[in-house]
Amino acid sequence: MLVDGWSPFLLRTRRNRPLSAVTRYDSSSNQNSTARCAVHNISGSTMIDFEKELNPAQLEAVQTLDGPVLVIAGAGSGKTRTVVYRMANIVQQGHSPNSILLLTFTKKAAQEMLNRAAMLLGEQGLYGVTGGTFHSFAYAWLRRYADLLGPGTGLTVMDQSDAESIVKDIRTDLKIAKGDRTFPRRSTMLSLISKSRNKERALGDILREEAFHLTKYEEDFERIAKHYEMFKQKHALLDYDDLLFGLERLLTQHPEVLETMRSRYRFIMVDEYQDTNLVQGRLVRLIAGDTGNIMAVGDDAQSIYAFRGANVHNILDFPNQFPGTKIIRLEQNYRSAQPVLDLTNAILEQAQLKFRKNLFSERKHGPTPQLIRTMSDRSQANAVVKKVLELEHKYPLHEIAVLFRAGYHSYPIEVALNKLGIKFQKFGGLKFTEAAHIKDALAYLRLTQNPADIPSWQRLLGYIKGIGPKTVIKIYTAIMTANEKYLVNAKRKTPELAETLDFLESMRSLGGTPAAMLARVNEFYEPILEKKYPDDFPRRKNGLDQLQRIASQYDDLESFLGDISLDQPEEDDRHKDNTLVLSTVHSSKGLEWSAVLIIDLVQDRFPSRHAINSAEELEEERRLLYVACTRAKDYLGLFVPSSVYNQYSHVSEPALESPFLAELPLSTFEAWKENFSGALVASKAKDPKPRIKAASAFKKATEQTAGPASSKKLGHCRHKIFGRGKIIASLTGNKYRINFPGFGLKVILGDYLKFED
């Protein structure tokens, strides 16, 4: 098997191994596996009863060996099983395993498929199959034909730390932003350079769309990227991204190599085709040719990694790229009960670009999905916890998952779970109390309550330039002993220290509700936050906004800090029995639970506020919801807060439900609502016509927002915290609705804005 999942470092250390040593599948690794299939041993050979093992659509895919084939594999439809049995069928039909190329996205996926196929065929059945990721496959062929790559071209592949060190040295040599503590870390620079290459878009465009707060460094980033490429060429080095583009260059510039590859691989299979980027799509077309036996397996409805460079149009355009493509749909779902699938089918029905599919299950009966409207985002956390406790009577906790669009959305639920002592594990984003910026903000509040809290002093004074651990202890001692002379002298020498101490003193004097105090903390701390964490300032700012929402539920500081501090110790293992799962939707892909609860299904949260700028991004948000819903085997709960707390106006404002929910037929869910006592009661669902009309209006507004006419009409403005934004609408009371890249939509008083001409 072509060994996959290596880090570039491992690739570099193994570069002298012959190609055959890394492309042959070793079935000895299967000795602990178990085969669950109908096989018959006839004259010493294994014969597989495909008709007994596969449903009609799977069987068609397995037995179609000639020409281009596109298998649209709906969620939970047995995609892996289909690939495994097709490999086995190819060999059983008498073709050499050497003629099979299996391209996957992870080492784990390739190994699983090859192991399972080997259990069908026997130990030697798959010896010689090439299987692995695009990157490891590219590396093997580049190494084999290194002499064709040109003089001075090496095959030393740098690992991440090597590449980051080079970027750091380049910045130093170019004297870029010398002494600027707000300049992004080298890992961030390298990540953006990599994203630019994988998406094949200008670095400036990537910055403006995904890291607007860093656009002031665009010219510096361009210089670093240019010198980084020059450095690699000069020293005969490759990074991970170079492997794919290097293979493309080898195949296009040397037709004899391409012909060798095509003659070797008669049967090409690509897994998760919806996740391929542009260069991967071109490589597939190069290797397969116009008439090659290429089978792409994937689901356009599960294409959710555009931020990594995945391009959904690769799978959507497959029939055009390969004329005569046979499209086979795997629609029988082996995971979910039919009521869940009825709802997910309805979500996809309104998609603009798609391959039509209708998922069905033999499990015709199951609980009807519930659409639960809570009074507010603040009461949503309690409603979710109550539902978890109710479901726990039927399912173990580890079979229940709460899913959300962004990591910080789960913070109120984490607090509620900690208060009740309910164990949970979180995937995707840090746990609330683990985030450094949250700890910083809370440290200000803790010191107003307890000036002897030395860990909080260490947190807040540690970021001040010129103040080390020993000095922090001296300052702390001076405060505790009322050494005014020392403090006056220290404040005179370090203005930042004076500002911090004066601010803390004013906090103690003014007091107020937790929300009011935290609002003052955030105003003071956000400029520090931007300097301290320039790489992901918008994400951390969102975390502070969520902390503000939590604080608004408390009347006294002691209770607020007490509940926030009730954190559970983290354990090492990934899977924990009897432990609730909290996960972002992206981290949930490929997983399943008996019960799934999806929260914050309102505009600006799900879909994300960033999606308002692009109809294409809005469609990806729809696919994200589809992925989230199809994780559920039995129960599916959709939570819609009716109002959302605005930390600027300090009031809860009405929230519009997600437009994807507004399109759902009433027959696909039960409507529930939270009453004034906090209980969930059945309610009469709203008429679908105005709901669908609202969804259509949202789409239209999205398209208008993204258009040049509206931006030219309303112009742009600047805000002290959010930076430059596009004015979407002028509201009553001198208020404006503004889209700030990296922050999303905000409604702000004109007094706090600087308008551009």
Side-chain angles (χ1 to χ4, degrees):
M1 185 187 76
L2 181 63
V3 179
D4 163 49
W6 290 340
S7 69
F9 175 75
L10 290 174
L11 289 173
R12 180 177 60 188
T13 59
R14 301 187 183 192
R15 65 180 182 273
N16 294 321
R17 293 179 63 184
L19 178 62
S20 60
V22 295
T23 57
R24 293 188 179 242
Y25 170 68
D26 179 8
S27 60
S28 63
S29 61
N30 289 318
Q31 56 187 353
N32 295 321
S33 301
T34 57
R36 299 177 181 175
C37 57
V39 296
H40 306 282
N41 195 287
I42 302 175
S43 301
S45 62
T46 300
M47 299 299 293
I48 304 169
D49 188 345
F50 291 106
E51 292 188 6
K52 183 175 181 179
E53 288 299 300
L54 304 168
N55 68 39
Q58 291 172 333
L59 182 64
E60 183 181 10
V62 165
Q63 294 183 336
T64 303
L65 302 184
D66 297 322
V69 180
L70 177 60
V71 177
I72 302 299
S77 62
K79 167 181 69 72
T80 299
R81 186 179 187 84
T82 302
V83 174
V84 166
Y85 275 80
R86 189 173 191 265
M87 282 193 291
N89 187 39
I90 290 170
V91 176
Q92 188 164 290
Q93 294 298 321
H95 301 287
S96 169
N98 285 285
S99 65
I100 300 175
L101 170 62
L102 171 65
L103 293 174
T104 64
F105 276 81
T106 66
K107 174 183 178 180
K108 181 180 178 181
Q111 190 68 56
E112 179 187 357
M113 290 177 179
L114 291 167
N115 284 349
R116 287 172 58 176
M119 291 305 297
L120 297 177
L121 295 169
E123 287 195 359
Q124 299 301 314
L126 280 186
Y127 188 76
V129 169
T130 300
T133 66
F134 281 90
H135 291 86
S136 56
F137 174 74
Y139 177 76
W141 280 82
L142 288 174
R143 183 183 58 190
R144 184 177 184 179
Y145 292 97
D147 57 318
L148 297 179
L149 299 177
T153 302
L155 275 179
T156 300
V157 182
M158 300 179 293
D159 63 15
Q160 181 76 8
S161 61
D162 289 340
E164 288 179 8
S165 295
I166 291 170
V167 166
K168 179 184 177 183
D169 291 342
I170 289 172
R171 177 192 166 189
T172 301
D173 292 342
L174 295 177
K175 299 180 180 179
I176 289 176
K178 187 175 181 180
D180 184 354
R181 296 171 64 188
T182 68
F183 196 82
R185 294 188 298 264
R186 52 190 173 181
S187 59
T188 299
M189 286 188 287
L190 192 63
S191 173
L192 289 166
I193 291 170
S194 174
K195 190 169 290 189
S196 172
R197 291 201 70 193
N198 281 296
K199 289 192 172 186
E200 299 184 34
R201 300 187 59 198
L203 186 53
D205 291 341
I206 299 296
L207 286 172
R208 279 183 284 277
E209 292 181 8
E210 302 184 27
F212 189 80
H213 64 295
L214 299 179
T215 51
K216 58 184 176 182
Y217 298 118
E218 180 179 343
E219 186 177 336
D220 293 332
F221 273 33
E222 294 281 6
R223 291 178 63 201
I224 291 171
K226 178 181 177 181
H227 282 79
Y228 176 61
E229 291 301 315
M230 293 167 56
F231 184 94
K232 288 188 294 180
Q233 293 175 17
K234 180 180 178 181
H235 297 279
L237 296 170
L238 299 176
D239 63 19
Y240 206 53
D241 298 326
D242 293 326
L243 295 172
L244 299 181
F245 292 100
L247 179 61
E248 182 183 32
R249 190 163 58 252
L250 174 68
L251 297 180
T252 53
Q253 294 179 359
H254 299 279
E256 70 279 11
V257 177
L258 178 59
E259 184 55 38
T260 298
M261 185 179 289
R262 286 178 175 175
S263 63
R264 174 171 181 176
Y265 300 121
R266 186 184 170 195
F267 301 99
I268 304 162
M269 285 178 279
V270 185
D271 186 33
E272 303 285 13
Y273 200 72
Q274 77 279 354
D275 293 336
T276 54
N277 62 21
L278 291 172
V279 67
Q280 288 166 334
R282 293 196 299 271
L283 283 172
V284 169
R285 294 194 292 275
L286 273 171
I287 300 168
D290 294 333
T291 58
N293 293 326
I294 166 75
M295 185 178 87
V297 183
D299 184 4
D300 55 297
Q302 296 187 69
S303 180
I304 60 174
Y305 294 115
F307 66 94
R308 295 181 186 170
N311 193 314
V312 69
H313 292 285
N314 278 353
I315 191 169
L316 291 173
D317 294 341
F318 189 92
N320 297 326
Q321 299 291 344
F322 295 94
T325 291
K326 183 175 186 178
I327 300 176
I328 301 172
R329 292 171 171 82
L330 304 185
E331 298 175 298
Q332 183 170 353
N333 179 284
Y334 294 93
R335 174 188 300 149
S336 306
Q338 191 61 47
V340 172
L341 299 180
D342 289 341
L343 185 140
T344 57
N345 287 335
I347 291 173
L348 290 186
E349 184 62 31
Q350 300 297 323
Q352 299 301 303
L353 296 172
K354 62 179 181 293
F355 287 106
R356 289 194 172 275
K357 66 179 75 69
N358 186 58
L359 299 182
F360 66 91
S361 171
E362 291 184 350
R363 296 174 56 207
K364 299 301 181 184
H365 303 290
T368 302
Q370 295 181 326
L371 194 154
I372 301 170
R373 292 184 174 85
T374 63
M375 289 290 185
S376 68
D377 57 339
R378 294 186 287 177
S379 66
Q380 176 183 238
N382 291 330
V384 168
V385 172
K386 287 179 182 177
K387 180 57 69 173
V388 167
L389 293 174
E390 175 189 322
L391 292 167
E392 192 183 10
H393 293 295
K394 188 173 183 180
Y395 311 109
L397 268 178
H398 60 264
E399 276 294 318
I400 305 172
V402 179
L403 305 184
F404 32 86
R405 177 63 182 83
Y408 65 88
H409 288 171
S410 69
Y411 290 169
I413 293 173
E414 293 176 44
V415 174
L417 292 170
N418 282 327
K419 287 171 67 175
L420 295 177
I422 300 175
K423 292 183 178 180
F424 66 88
Q425 54 183 340
K426 182 177 180 180
F427 304 119
L430 287 173
K431 288 176 67 175
F432 188 36
T433 51
E434 289 176 349
H437 57 290
I438 299 297
K439 292 181 178 179
D440 287 351
L442 293 174
Y444 288 101
L445 298 182
R446 288 196 169 100
L447 287 175
T448 63
Q449 190 181 47
N450 177 20
D453 184 351
I454 190 168
S456 292
W457 284 114
Q458 290 169 327
R459 289 201 68 84
L460 299 187
L461 301 185
Y463 62 75
I464 298 177
K465 189 175 182 179
I467 296 182
K470 292 182 180 179
T471 306
V472 171
I473 297 298
K474 290 179 181 178
I475 295 170
Y476 169 76
T477 302
I479 292 172
M480 291 296 99
T481 59
N483 189 341
E484 187 177 354
K485 182 178 180 181
Y486 177 87
L487 291 172
V488 169
N489 188 46
K491 290 166 69 174
R492 180 178 55 80
K493 289 182 178 179
T494 311
E496 282 185 79
L497 173 63
E499 291 176 8
T500 301
L501 294 179
D502 291 346
F503 172 72
L504 286 168
E505 186 58 43
S506 69
M507 286 285 292
R508 292 183 66 198
S509 302
L510 292 172
T513 65
M517 295 180 72
L518 191 57
R520 295 198 295 271
V521 167
N522 288 346
E523 184 178 359
F524 179 83
Y525 175 63
E526 280 175 10
I528 299 169
L529 178 71
E530 187 170 11
K531 291 181 181 179
K532 195 173 180 181
Y533 304 105
D535 306 80
D536 58 353
F537 171 67
R539 181 184 66 82
R540 293 179 186 268
K541 172 65 174 61
N542 284 333
L544 292 181
D545 290 348
Q546 194 71 304
L547 182 63
Q548 182 78 38
R549 295 187 187 105
I550 296 171
S552 67
Q553 302 175 57
Y554 291 83
D555 295 325
D556 66 280
L557 186 60
E558 185 175 0
S559 298
F560 170 62
L561 292 177
D563 286 349
I564 288 290
S565 300
L566 290 172
D567 193 23
Q568 303 167 17
E570 191 61 52
E571 299 175 31
D572 294 332
D573 57 335
R574 181 167 177 83
H575 174 78
K576 305 169 194 165
D577 288 337
N578 204 30
T579 302
L580 179 70
V581 175
L582 305 182
S583 176
T584 60
V585 179
H586 283 101
S587 296
S588 75
K589 190 172 182 292
L591 303 176
E592 59 183 37
W593 296 273
S594 295
V596 169
L597 292 73
I598 308 172
I599 65 170
D600 280 336
L601 285 165
V602 293
Q603 291 181 22
D604 285 357
R605 295 194 186 180
F606 206 150
S608 163
R609 61 185 60 171
H610 305 294
I612 196 171
N613 289 320
S614 166
E616 195 163 295
E617 289 182 26
L618 188 63
E619 284 302 293
E620 179 154 322
E621 295 289 312
R622 178 192 300 280
R623 298 194 291 269
L624 264 175
L625 181 58
Y626 166 79
V627 167
C629 292
T630 52
R631 301 310 94 196
K633 292 189 283 188
D634 298 318
Y635 174 82
L636 176 62
L638 308 172
F639 285 78
V640 184
S642 299
S643 63
V644 173
Y645 182 78
N646 186 318
Q647 66 270 18
Y648 300 104
S649 62
H650 305 298
V651 297
S652 288
E653 299 176 344
L656 296 176
E657 72 177 9
S658 170
F660 311 133
L661 299 185
E663 298 164 346
L664 294 177
L666 297 181
S667 60
T668 60
F669 63 88
E670 294 177 353
W672 291 73
K673 67 178 180 180
E674 181 185 23
N675 63 19
F676 291 117
S677 64
L680 296 181
V681 296
S683 66
K684 186 177 180 180
K686 297 179 181 178
D687 181 69
K689 292 181 180 178
R691 296 171 66 243
I692 294 174
K693 185 177 180 181
S696 300
F698 178 82
K699 290 181 182 178
K700 186 176 181 181
T702 300
E703 294 170 359
Q704 290 176 344
T705 299
S710 62
S711 61
K712 181 179 289 186
K713 179 181 178 181
L714 294 172
H716 292 75
C717 64
R718 287 191 173 274
H719 185 268
K720 185 175 71 171
I721 294 176
F722 305 119
R724 189 171 186 266
K726 182 192 296 182
I727 303 172
I728 305 301
S730 175
L731 309 176
T732 59
N734 191 31
K735 295 179 182 178
Y736 296 85
R737 189 182 302 278
I738 305 156
N739 186 38
F740 293 101
F743 295 95
L745 287 176
K746 305 285 183 183
V747 175
I748 297 179
L749 282 169
D751 297 343
Y752 296 95
L753 300 171
K754 183 177 181 181
F755 298 92
E756 295 183 4
D757 295 332

